[in-house]
């Protein structure tokens, strides 16, 4: 995971995701779940380049972000000078004070590729929540995503940001031999200049998609009770969003 979202990739990510994701809608979606659970202090994990942070800050909420990538955090800090962002790993972190809600947004759970990663993460979340605290997170649904990648060997996404046209071509290797339905994701990033593609970055990562049953079992084993399961389509993936309460 060492070079994940580092250097140039952080800036390319930020530019492209402004097109892919409607962050106003994303904020409204997550904030509704936070309000339903009367959570006043919020930690967002995988806070990325701080697009949700901006909305939480504009609404004067008690928000902090945590991300693994220093370069993503640098962009988030530039965007949100009032917000606190910490470099950390969701598998092992300790906040100064526990919070009422922890969000893991933007399918960042895909980077928890082993069962050990999952158990360590849920254990850390448990320890950093107040009593009656909730976790809210999404994950890519394996039952829908794996057939989709079989039927679409190259998946193209286009974005336009600050008058630059971007293209991302993704290939998801589902050779079925990897443990835990991990996938090898190769992505080529291009800019489109005078109708011609110019390569700007090649990226490779190993990611994991989950079945709903797996997630239910991980939560049970790590002392969380599911209170809501939402079937949600995002720009490229069918996901589930889970709201789960800390069991005492
Ligand atoms: C797909 S991006 C999502 C960013 C943001 N939530 C959004 O929707 O724009 C995934 C983020 O998860 C972060 N991440 C991956 N593994 C992590 C870990 N173990 N602990 C904390 N953050 C992690 C990456 O650095 C990256 O910023």
């Amino acid at each position: 995971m060492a070079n994940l979202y580092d250097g140039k990739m952080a800036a390319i990510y930020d530019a492209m995701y402004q097109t892919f994701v409607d962050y106003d809608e994303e904020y409204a979606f997550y904030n509704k779940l936070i309000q339903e659970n009367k959570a006043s202090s919020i930690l967002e994990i995988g806070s990325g380049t701080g697009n949700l942070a901006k909305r939480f800050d504009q609404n004067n909420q008690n928000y902090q972000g945590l991300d693994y990538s220093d370069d993503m955090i640098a962009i988030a800090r530039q965007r949100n000078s009032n917000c606190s962002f910490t470099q950390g790993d969701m598998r092992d972190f300790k906040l100064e004070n526990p919070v009422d809600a922890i969000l893991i947004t933007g399918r960042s759970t895909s980077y928890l590729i082993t069962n050990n990663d999952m158990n360590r993460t849920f254990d850390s979340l448990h320890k950093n929540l107040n009593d009656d605290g909730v976790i809210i997170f999404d994950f890519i649904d394996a039952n829908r995503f794996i057939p989709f990648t079989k039927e679409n060997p190259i998946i193209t996404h286009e974005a336009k940001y600050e008058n630059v046209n971007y293209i991302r071509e993704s290939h998801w290797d589902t050779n079925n031999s990897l443990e835990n339905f991990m996938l090898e994701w190769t992505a080529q990033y291009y800019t489109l200049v005078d109708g011609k593609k110019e390569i700007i970055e090649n990226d490779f990562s190993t990611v994991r998609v989950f079945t709903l049953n797996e997630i239910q079992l991980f939560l049970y084993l790590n002392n969380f009770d599911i209170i809501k399961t939402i079937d949600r389509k995002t720009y490229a993936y069918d996901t589930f969003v889970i709201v789960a309460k800390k069991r005492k």
Side-chain angles (χ1 to χ4, degrees):
M1 201 190 300
N3 57 10
L4 185 75
Y5 295 102
D6 276 358
K8 208 162 135 193
M9 267 313 300
I12 296 171
Y13 176 92
D14 189 53
M16 292 192 78
Y17 276 69
Q18 303 290 338
T19 305
F20 294 165
V21 181
D22 177 345
Y23 285 103
D24 285 333
E25 194 273 329
E26 189 84 346
Y27 168 76
F29 175 83
Y30 281 108
N31 193 41
K32 182 166 177 281
L33 298 174
I34 287 169
Q35 299 310 323
E36 277 173 16
N37 287 284
K38 303 185 173 42
S40 57
S41 49
I42 304 147
L43 169 73
E44 183 195 7
I45 295 180
S47 45
T49 56
N51 285 299
L52 282 188
K54 183 171 146 191
R55 276 81 182 168
F56 282 112
D57 185 45
Q58 281 165 347
N59 289 291
N60 297 318
Q61 285 163 284
N62 179 354
Y63 167 95
Q64 57 184 303
L66 181 135
D67 202 283
Y68 191 78
S69 158
D70 283 317
D71 291 308
M72 295 293 264
I73 288 181
I75 298 175
R77 285 196 178 123
Q78 254 173 24
R79 178 166 282 133
N80 307 282
S81 51
N82 287 331
C83 288
S84 153
F85 296 97
T86 310
Q87 192 282 330
D89 188 332
M90 64 178 127
R91 294 168 298 182
D92 182 18
F93 68 97
K94 172 117 185 52
L95 300 177
E96 260 172 49
N97 296 303
V99 291
D100 298 336
I102 302 181
L103 313 180
I104 312 178
T105 56
R107 301 157 303 284
S108 305
T109 49
S110 312
Y111 297 99
L112 300 170
I113 56 182
T114 65
N115 285 6
N116 191 34
D117 289 340
M118 289 295 281
N119 289 320
R120 286 173 61 203
T121 299
F122 286 127
D123 186 49
S124 292
L125 300 182
H126 206 276
K127 288 183 179 140
N128 284 287
L129 275 181
N130 286 322
D131 286 350
D132 292 329
V134 290
I135 54 175
I136 304 171
F137 64 95
D138 66 348
F139 66 91
I140 299 174
D141 176 18
N143 279 315
R144 285 176 285 179
F145 190 63
I146 290 179
F148 177 74
T149 58
K150 294 262 180 230
E151 284 153 27
N152 299 276
I154 304 279
I155 301 167
T156 304
H157 291 110
E158 295 186 18
K160 186 171 184 174
Y161 183 61
E162 292 181 342
N163 281 327
V164 181
N165 290 301
Y166 296 89
I167 297 177
R168 178 179 74 187
E169 290 177 357
S170 297
H171 173 73
W172 299 80
D173 193 353
T174 52
N175 61 30
N176 304 340
S177 62
L178 297 174
E179 297 299 321
N180 298 331
F181 295 110
M182 285 192 258
L183 304 171
E184 288 175 342
W185 178 23
T186 320
Q188 271 84 44
Y189 292 81
Y190 303 91
T191 47
L192 202 58
V193 182
D194 298 330
K196 274 178 45 193
K197 288 194 308 192
E198 290 185 2
I199 185 95
I200 47 171
E201 193 71 329
N202 268 301
D203 192 45
F204 173 81
S205 24
T206 304
V207 293
R208 179 176 180 182
V209 292
F210 300 90
T211 66
L212 181 55
N213 288 22
E214 280 176 308
I215 295 289
Q216 288 164 336
L217 195 49
F218 277 121
L219 288 167
Y220 166 76
L221 292 172
N222 287 283
N223 299 313
F224 283 100
D225 294 319
I226 297 180
I227 49 182
K228 206 166 198 177
T229 303
I230 303 164
D231 187 339
R232 186 173 190 235
K233 281 205 187 313
T234 64
Y235 82 97
Y237 311 96
D238 292 311
T239 67
F240 284 107
V241 175
I242 303 285
V243 184
K245 197 176 265 269
K246 175 175 174 168
R247 198 183 307 139
K248 283 175 202 140

